[in-house]
Amino acid sequence: MLSKSQARFFFLGGTVVTFLVFIVLSWDSLANDVPKQTHSEQLSDAVVRGKEIWEKNNCMGCHTILGEGAYYAPELTRVIDRRGEGFVKVVLTNPVPWAPNGRKMVAYHMSEEDANDVIAFLKWINETDLNGFPAKPDLK
């Protein structure tokens, strides 16, 4: 049986050790794992401009990317894998509002350069290692 002072020492010592383990594991993940999974070395000017266009047009108001955003329109984290660059480019540059399955997407009339920047951003997102998220649908 522990005395009161021994129990206090055990509690405080355990708290300090657990906190130090948490700090070391967090530092290791941020220093080693996150850069490998995000491919931060591939952040080009086009990717950054694509993200700015994404934010300026409030694409997250309808779409989800990396689990963030709205659920009105399709999830776009792996859209390049699912649909390909050509399909995405046609949707972004189309002057006519697009309405798949009854859902309307605003016609942004993006220029070729803006569409390429958004595609570069989506390709960068597409290559991010998300440990299997989102799961591929079973279409059998």
Side-chain angles (χ1 to χ4, degrees):
M1 183 88 175
L2 296 175
S3 68
K4 190 172 182 178
S5 63
Q6 288 174 326
R8 182 179 302 137
F9 177 77
F10 183 77
F11 171 75
L12 292 175
T15 301
V16 169
V17 168
T18 303
F19 179 73
L20 290 175
V21 168
F22 172 77
I23 294 295
V24 169
L25 289 175
S26 296
W27 176 81
D28 181 60
S29 293
L30 292 173
N32 298 316
D33 296 338
V34 171
K36 288 179 194 170
Q37 290 182 306
T38 61
H39 305 285
S40 59
E41 72 281 357
Q42 295 178 6
L43 277 174
S44 65
D45 290 340
V47 171
V48 172
R49 283 191 306 270
K51 183 177 186 302
E52 290 169 354
I53 293 167
W54 171 270
E55 291 173 347
K56 185 178 95 186
N57 290 303
N58 190 27
C59 298
M60 290 181 80
C62 296
H63 293 278
T64 306
I65 199 163
L66 298 173
E68 297 284 331
Y71 294 95
Y72 175 75
E75 201 279 329
L76 297 181
T77 303
R78 300 283 189 226
V79 70
I80 299 297
D81 275 352
R82 288 192 320 263
R83 297 294 193 152
E85 290 180 42
F87 179 86
V88 174
K89 192 171 205 171
V90 166
V91 170
L92 293 174
T93 57
N94 194 345
V96 178
W98 197 57
N101 301 323
R103 295 179 179 185
K104 292 184 180 177
M105 178 167 164
V106 177
Y108 286 106
H109 300 270
M110 283 192 189
S111 67
E112 185 88 8
E113 182 181 358
D114 286 352
N116 288 337
D117 291 344
V118 172
I119 289 170
F121 171 64
L122 292 172
K123 283 174 65 177
W124 182 78
I125 293 290
N126 192 72
E127 294 170 4
T128 302
D129 181 5
L130 300 174
N131 298 323
F133 176 83
K136 292 186 177 186
D138 185 14
L139 301 175
K140 294 179 183 175

